[in-house]
Short mmCIF file of all heavy atoms in Angstrom, two decimals:
data_model
loop_
_atom_site.label_atom_id
_atom_site.label_comp_id
_atom_site.label_asym_id
_atom_site.label_seq_id
_atom_site.Cartn_x
_atom_site.Cartn_y
_atom_site.Cartn_z
N GLU A 1 2.29 -6.40 3.92
CA GLU A 1 2.78 -7.28 5.03
C GLU A 1 3.72 -6.53 5.97
O GLU A 1 3.61 -6.75 7.23
CB GLU A 1 3.51 -8.54 4.49
CG GLU A 1 2.46 -9.46 3.80
CD GLU A 1 3.14 -10.59 2.97
OE1 GLU A 1 4.41 -10.62 2.92
OE2 GLU A 1 2.44 -11.41 2.40
N TYR A 2 4.58 -5.71 5.43
CA TYR A 2 5.45 -4.93 6.19
C TYR A 2 4.72 -4.02 7.20
O TYR A 2 4.97 -3.96 8.40
CB TYR A 2 6.44 -4.02 5.26
CG TYR A 2 7.27 -3.14 6.09
CD1 TYR A 2 8.46 -3.52 6.62
CD2 TYR A 2 6.93 -1.79 6.27
CE1 TYR A 2 9.31 -2.67 7.36
CE2 TYR A 2 7.76 -0.87 6.95
CZ TYR A 2 8.89 -1.31 7.48
OH TYR A 2 9.79 -0.51 8.26
N ILE A 3 3.64 -3.30 6.62
CA ILE A 3 2.88 -2.44 7.49
C ILE A 3 2.08 -3.22 8.48
O ILE A 3 1.96 -2.88 9.68
CB ILE A 3 1.89 -1.64 6.59
CG1 ILE A 3 2.78 -0.70 5.75
CG2 ILE A 3 0.85 -0.89 7.39
CD1 ILE A 3 2.01 0.14 4.68
N TYR A 4 1.55 -4.34 8.06
CA TYR A 4 0.77 -5.28 8.97
C TYR A 4 1.61 -5.70 10.21
O TYR A 4 1.13 -5.68 11.38
CB TYR A 4 0.30 -6.58 8.21
CG TYR A 4 -0.48 -7.50 9.11
CD1 TYR A 4 -1.79 -7.37 9.21
CD2 TYR A 4 0.21 -8.64 9.59
CE1 TYR A 4 -2.52 -8.24 10.03
CE2 TYR A 4 -0.56 -9.56 10.38
CZ TYR A 4 -1.92 -9.25 10.54
OH TYR A 4 -2.62 -10.22 11.32
N ASN A 5 2.90 -5.92 9.99
CA ASN A 5 3.79 -6.33 11.02
C ASN A 5 4.16 -5.20 11.92
O ASN A 5 4.62 -5.40 13.08
CB ASN A 5 5.04 -6.98 10.41
CG ASN A 5 4.82 -8.34 9.83
OD1 ASN A 5 3.91 -9.08 10.28
ND2 ASN A 5 5.52 -8.69 8.79
N LEU A 6 3.99 -3.98 11.47
CA LEU A 6 4.26 -2.73 12.34
C LEU A 6 3.14 -2.53 13.39
O LEU A 6 3.32 -1.86 14.36
CB LEU A 6 4.43 -1.53 11.45
CG LEU A 6 5.66 -1.47 10.67
CD1 LEU A 6 5.72 -0.19 9.81
CD2 LEU A 6 6.93 -1.54 11.48
N ILE A 7 1.96 -3.01 13.06
CA ILE A 7 0.72 -2.75 13.79
C ILE A 7 0.67 -3.72 15.02
O ILE A 7 0.72 -4.82 14.86
CB ILE A 7 -0.52 -2.82 12.96
CG1 ILE A 7 -0.43 -1.79 11.81
CG2 ILE A 7 -1.82 -2.68 13.82
CD1 ILE A 7 -1.50 -1.91 10.78
N ASP A 8 0.46 -3.10 16.24
CA ASP A 8 0.46 -3.93 17.51
C ASP A 8 -0.88 -4.64 17.58
O ASP A 8 -0.99 -5.83 17.83
CB ASP A 8 0.71 -3.05 18.66
CG ASP A 8 2.16 -2.53 18.76
OD1 ASP A 8 3.03 -3.21 18.23
OD2 ASP A 8 2.36 -1.48 19.27
N ASN A 9 -2.00 -3.90 17.49
CA ASN A 9 -3.31 -4.50 17.73
C ASN A 9 -3.86 -4.92 16.32
O ASN A 9 -4.38 -4.11 15.61
CB ASN A 9 -4.30 -3.38 18.37
CG ASN A 9 -5.61 -4.00 18.67
OD1 ASN A 9 -5.82 -5.16 18.41
ND2 ASN A 9 -6.47 -3.16 19.23
N LYS A 10 -3.84 -6.22 16.16
CA LYS A 10 -4.26 -6.73 14.85
C LYS A 10 -5.67 -7.18 14.85
O LYS A 10 -6.14 -7.87 13.89
CB LYS A 10 -3.33 -7.87 14.39
CG LYS A 10 -1.90 -7.37 14.02
CD LYS A 10 -0.97 -8.45 13.62
CE LYS A 10 0.39 -8.03 13.18
NZ LYS A 10 1.12 -7.28 14.12
N GLU A 11 -6.43 -7.04 15.98
CA GLU A 11 -7.84 -7.44 16.02
C GLU A 11 -8.60 -6.79 14.90
O GLU A 11 -8.51 -5.60 14.75
CB GLU A 11 -8.28 -7.06 17.38
CG GLU A 11 -9.73 -7.64 17.75
CD GLU A 11 -10.11 -7.26 19.07
OE1 GLU A 11 -9.36 -7.10 20.02
OE2 GLU A 11 -11.41 -7.08 19.24
N ASN A 12 -9.45 -7.53 14.26
CA ASN A 12 -10.24 -7.09 13.08
C ASN A 12 -9.42 -6.50 12.01
O ASN A 12 -9.91 -5.61 11.27
CB ASN A 12 -11.34 -6.04 13.66
CG ASN A 12 -12.20 -6.59 14.72
OD1 ASN A 12 -12.64 -7.71 14.55
ND2 ASN A 12 -12.48 -5.81 15.74
N LEU A 13 -8.23 -6.86 11.87
CA LEU A 13 -7.34 -6.26 10.87
C LEU A 13 -7.21 -7.42 9.75
O LEU A 13 -6.95 -8.60 10.01
CB LEU A 13 -5.96 -6.00 11.40
CG LEU A 13 -5.11 -5.11 10.64
CD1 LEU A 13 -5.71 -3.79 10.25
CD2 LEU A 13 -3.80 -4.83 11.39
N ASN A 14 -7.37 -7.00 8.55
CA ASN A 14 -7.30 -7.96 7.38
C ASN A 14 -6.23 -7.50 6.49
O ASN A 14 -6.14 -6.39 5.98
CB ASN A 14 -8.63 -7.93 6.70
CG ASN A 14 -8.71 -8.80 5.54
OD1 ASN A 14 -7.73 -9.06 4.80
ND2 ASN A 14 -9.98 -9.45 5.34
N ILE A 15 -5.28 -8.42 6.16
CA ILE A 15 -4.14 -8.12 5.32
C ILE A 15 -4.63 -7.62 3.91
O ILE A 15 -3.96 -6.74 3.30
CB ILE A 15 -3.09 -9.28 5.22
CG1 ILE A 15 -1.83 -8.90 4.48
CG2 ILE A 15 -3.74 -10.49 4.55
CD1 ILE A 15 -0.93 -8.03 5.37
N LYS A 16 -5.67 -8.26 3.41
CA LYS A 16 -6.12 -7.87 2.08
C LYS A 16 -6.63 -6.41 2.06
O LYS A 16 -6.36 -5.64 1.13
CB LYS A 16 -7.35 -8.80 1.68
CG LYS A 16 -7.88 -8.46 0.37
CD LYS A 16 -6.89 -8.55 -0.81
CE LYS A 16 -7.62 -8.36 -2.13
NZ LYS A 16 -6.80 -7.61 -3.08
N ASN A 17 -7.22 -5.91 3.15
CA ASN A 17 -7.68 -4.54 3.31
C ASN A 17 -6.47 -3.62 3.30
O ASN A 17 -6.50 -2.50 2.66
CB ASN A 17 -8.54 -4.23 4.47
CG ASN A 17 -9.84 -4.91 4.42
OD1 ASN A 17 -10.27 -5.29 3.35
ND2 ASN A 17 -10.54 -5.07 5.54
N ILE A 18 -5.39 -4.02 3.99
CA ILE A 18 -4.21 -3.19 4.04
C ILE A 18 -3.62 -3.22 2.61
O ILE A 18 -3.20 -2.05 2.13
CB ILE A 18 -3.17 -3.76 5.01
CG1 ILE A 18 -3.74 -3.65 6.50
CG2 ILE A 18 -1.84 -3.03 4.96
CD1 ILE A 18 -2.92 -4.30 7.54
N GLU A 19 -3.59 -4.24 1.94
CA GLU A 19 -3.06 -4.33 0.63
C GLU A 19 -3.82 -3.38 -0.33
O GLU A 19 -3.25 -2.64 -1.14
CB GLU A 19 -3.09 -5.73 0.12
CG GLU A 19 -2.30 -5.91 -1.19
CD GLU A 19 -2.32 -7.45 -1.58
OE1 GLU A 19 -2.46 -8.32 -0.84
OE2 GLU A 19 -2.08 -7.60 -2.84
N ASP A 20 -5.11 -3.33 -0.20
CA ASP A 20 -5.94 -2.45 -1.04
C ASP A 20 -5.60 -1.02 -0.69
O ASP A 20 -5.60 -0.23 -1.56
CB ASP A 20 -7.43 -2.75 -0.81
CG ASP A 20 -7.92 -4.12 -1.36
OD1 ASP A 20 -7.15 -4.67 -2.23
OD2 ASP A 20 -9.01 -4.58 -0.90
N ASP A 21 -5.46 -0.76 0.60
CA ASP A 21 -5.14 0.71 1.01
C ASP A 21 -3.81 1.08 0.50
O ASP A 21 -3.65 2.22 0.05
CB ASP A 21 -5.16 0.72 2.53
CG ASP A 21 -6.61 0.66 3.11
OD1 ASP A 21 -7.56 0.81 2.34
OD2 ASP A 21 -6.74 0.46 4.37
N VAL A 22 -2.77 0.17 0.55
CA VAL A 22 -1.54 0.48 -0.03
C VAL A 22 -1.56 0.79 -1.46
O VAL A 22 -1.10 1.75 -1.99
CB VAL A 22 -0.49 -0.67 0.29
CG1 VAL A 22 0.81 -0.51 -0.57
CG2 VAL A 22 -0.19 -0.78 1.75
N GLN A 23 -2.24 -0.12 -2.22
CA GLN A 23 -2.43 0.11 -3.65
C GLN A 23 -3.11 1.51 -3.96
O GLN A 23 -2.77 2.20 -4.86
CB GLN A 23 -3.25 -0.96 -4.34
CG GLN A 23 -3.18 -0.96 -5.81
CD GLN A 23 -1.74 -0.94 -6.42
OE1 GLN A 23 -0.97 -1.81 -6.16
NE2 GLN A 23 -1.41 0.18 -7.15
N SER A 24 -4.14 1.79 -3.20
CA SER A 24 -4.89 3.01 -3.29
C SER A 24 -3.95 4.23 -3.11
O SER A 24 -4.01 5.29 -3.83
CB SER A 24 -6.02 3.07 -2.41
OG SER A 24 -6.77 4.29 -2.49
N THR A 25 -3.12 4.15 -2.07
CA THR A 25 -2.19 5.21 -1.71
C THR A 25 -1.15 5.40 -2.85
O THR A 25 -0.92 6.54 -3.28
CB THR A 25 -1.49 5.00 -0.38
OG1 THR A 25 -2.54 4.83 0.58
CG2 THR A 25 -0.58 6.09 -0.05
N ILE A 26 -0.64 4.27 -3.38
CA ILE A 26 0.32 4.39 -4.55
C ILE A 26 -0.35 5.03 -5.67
O ILE A 26 0.24 5.82 -6.39
CB ILE A 26 0.87 3.00 -4.72
CG1 ILE A 26 1.74 2.44 -3.62
CG2 ILE A 26 1.64 2.96 -6.12
CD1 ILE A 26 2.14 1.05 -3.68
N ASN A 27 -1.56 4.57 -6.04
CA ASN A 27 -2.28 5.17 -7.16
C ASN A 27 -2.52 6.66 -7.01
O ASN A 27 -2.39 7.37 -8.01
CB ASN A 27 -3.69 4.44 -7.35
CG ASN A 27 -3.43 3.03 -7.81
OD1 ASN A 27 -2.41 2.68 -8.25
ND2 ASN A 27 -4.52 2.30 -7.66
N THR A 28 -2.81 7.14 -5.75
CA THR A 28 -2.91 8.46 -5.49
C THR A 28 -1.55 9.31 -5.72
O THR A 28 -1.56 10.27 -6.31
CB THR A 28 -3.44 8.79 -4.09
OG1 THR A 28 -4.67 8.09 -3.90
CG2 THR A 28 -3.52 10.25 -3.73
N PHE A 29 -0.49 8.66 -5.31
CA PHE A 29 0.80 9.27 -5.51
C PHE A 29 1.07 9.43 -7.06
O PHE A 29 1.56 10.44 -7.57
CB PHE A 29 1.96 8.41 -4.94
CG PHE A 29 2.03 8.37 -3.40
CD1 PHE A 29 2.59 7.31 -2.77
CD2 PHE A 29 1.54 9.40 -2.64
CE1 PHE A 29 2.73 7.32 -1.36
CE2 PHE A 29 1.65 9.43 -1.26
CZ PHE A 29 2.18 8.34 -0.64
N ILE A 30 0.72 8.36 -7.76
CA ILE A 30 0.95 8.44 -9.27
C ILE A 30 -0.03 9.39 -9.91
O ILE A 30 0.46 10.19 -10.75
CB ILE A 30 0.63 7.02 -9.86
CG1 ILE A 30 1.81 6.04 -9.36
CG2 ILE A 30 0.66 6.99 -11.39
CD1 ILE A 30 1.67 4.59 -9.66
N LYS A 31 -1.21 9.40 -9.45
CA LYS A 31 -2.36 10.39 -10.04
C LYS A 31 -1.84 11.75 -9.87
O LYS A 31 -1.97 12.62 -10.71
CB LYS A 31 -3.65 10.10 -9.40
CG LYS A 31 -4.63 11.00 -9.79
CD LYS A 31 -5.95 10.74 -9.08
CE LYS A 31 -6.92 11.95 -9.18
NZ LYS A 31 -8.01 11.94 -8.20
N ASN A 32 -1.20 12.08 -8.69
CA ASN A 32 -0.77 13.44 -8.37
C ASN A 32 0.62 13.71 -8.90
O ASN A 32 1.22 14.77 -8.60
CB ASN A 32 -0.82 13.69 -6.82
CG ASN A 32 -2.29 13.85 -6.38
OD1 ASN A 32 -3.08 14.43 -7.04
ND2 ASN A 32 -2.56 13.12 -5.30
N LYS A 33 1.17 12.77 -9.61
CA LYS A 33 2.50 12.89 -10.30
C LYS A 33 3.67 13.13 -9.30
O LYS A 33 4.56 13.82 -9.60
CB LYS A 33 2.43 13.96 -11.36
CG LYS A 33 1.47 13.65 -12.44
CD LYS A 33 1.46 14.63 -13.49
CE LYS A 33 0.40 14.18 -14.53
NZ LYS A 33 0.01 15.16 -15.50
N LEU A 34 3.49 12.56 -8.11
CA LEU A 34 4.57 12.54 -7.12
C LEU A 34 5.43 11.33 -7.28
O LEU A 34 6.63 11.41 -6.91
CB LEU A 34 3.95 12.52 -5.71
CG LEU A 34 3.00 13.66 -5.34
CD1 LEU A 34 2.40 13.47 -3.94
CD2 LEU A 34 3.63 15.01 -5.54
N LEU A 35 4.88 10.29 -7.84
CA LEU A 35 5.60 9.02 -7.96
C LEU A 35 5.48 8.57 -9.41
O LEU A 35 4.48 8.70 -10.08
CB LEU A 35 4.91 7.98 -7.10
CG LEU A 35 5.58 6.70 -6.85
CD1 LEU A 35 6.85 6.83 -6.06
CD2 LEU A 35 4.63 5.73 -6.08
N LEU A 36 6.59 8.15 -10.00
CA LEU A 36 6.63 7.64 -11.36
C LEU A 36 6.92 6.21 -11.36
O LEU A 36 7.80 5.71 -10.57
CB LEU A 36 7.74 8.47 -12.08
CG LEU A 36 7.66 9.96 -12.13
CD1 LEU A 36 8.95 10.57 -12.81
CD2 LEU A 36 6.38 10.48 -12.79
N LYS A 37 6.16 5.51 -12.17
CA LYS A 37 6.42 4.06 -12.22
C LYS A 37 7.37 3.83 -13.37
O LYS A 37 7.09 4.28 -14.53
CB LYS A 37 5.05 3.29 -12.49
CG LYS A 37 5.16 1.83 -12.45
CD LYS A 37 3.86 1.20 -12.43
CE LYS A 37 4.00 -0.28 -12.22
NZ LYS A 37 2.76 -0.99 -12.16
N GLU A 38 8.38 3.15 -13.12
CA GLU A 38 9.51 2.88 -14.13
C GLU A 38 8.89 1.85 -15.02
O GLU A 38 8.33 0.85 -14.67
CB GLU A 38 10.78 2.43 -13.51
CG GLU A 38 11.45 3.53 -12.73
CD GLU A 38 12.74 3.04 -12.08
OE1 GLU A 38 13.12 1.86 -12.25
OE2 GLU A 38 13.44 3.89 -11.54
N LYS A 39 9.09 2.08 -16.35
CA LYS A 39 8.68 1.05 -17.36
C LYS A 39 9.74 0.04 -17.40
O LYS A 39 10.97 0.31 -17.55
CB LYS A 39 8.52 1.78 -18.67
CG LYS A 39 7.36 2.68 -18.69
CD LYS A 39 7.22 3.30 -20.01
CE LYS A 39 6.09 4.36 -19.96
NZ LYS A 39 5.92 5.08 -21.24
N ASN A 40 9.33 -1.23 -17.45
CA ASN A 40 10.29 -2.37 -17.63
C ASN A 40 10.59 -2.46 -19.10
O ASN A 40 9.78 -2.41 -19.97
CB ASN A 40 9.71 -3.68 -17.22
CG ASN A 40 9.44 -3.73 -15.66
OD1 ASN A 40 10.18 -2.99 -14.98
ND2 ASN A 40 8.56 -4.53 -15.25
N GLU A 41 11.88 -2.54 -19.35
CA GLU A 41 12.33 -2.72 -20.69
C GLU A 41 12.52 -4.23 -20.99
O GLU A 41 13.10 -4.95 -20.29
CB GLU A 41 13.63 -1.97 -20.93
CG GLU A 41 13.57 -0.47 -20.85
CD GLU A 41 14.86 0.18 -21.16
OE1 GLU A 41 15.70 -0.43 -21.90
OE2 GLU A 41 15.02 1.31 -20.72
#
């Protein structure tokens, strides 16, 4: 939603697609061991 709000031209833009892209990017960061997910205790 934060990224969606940064985009000026929202024509043909779907928040669900952005959410999928965000999750994919985060997964890539994790896969490449750039980002660590903290475990909840």
Side-chain angles (χ1 to χ4, degrees):
E1 289 170 358
Y2 175 83
I3 291 169
Y4 179 84
N5 289 329
L6 292 177
I7 299 170
D8 291 330
N9 184 1
K10 293 180 175 56
E11 187 177 331
N12 300 320
L13 195 59
N14 182 323
I15 190 74
K16 179 64 177 139
N17 291 344
I18 295 173
E19 190 175 338
D20 291 344
D21 290 344
V22 167
Q23 188 60 58
S24 176
T25 302
I26 292 169
N27 290 344
T28 300
F29 290 156
I30 292 170
K31 177 183 161 195
N32 290 316
K33 298 181 180 168
L34 304 175
L35 192 64
L36 306 172
K37 189 171 186 177
E38 293 180 356
K39 295 180 181 176
N40 292 336
E41 294 184 22

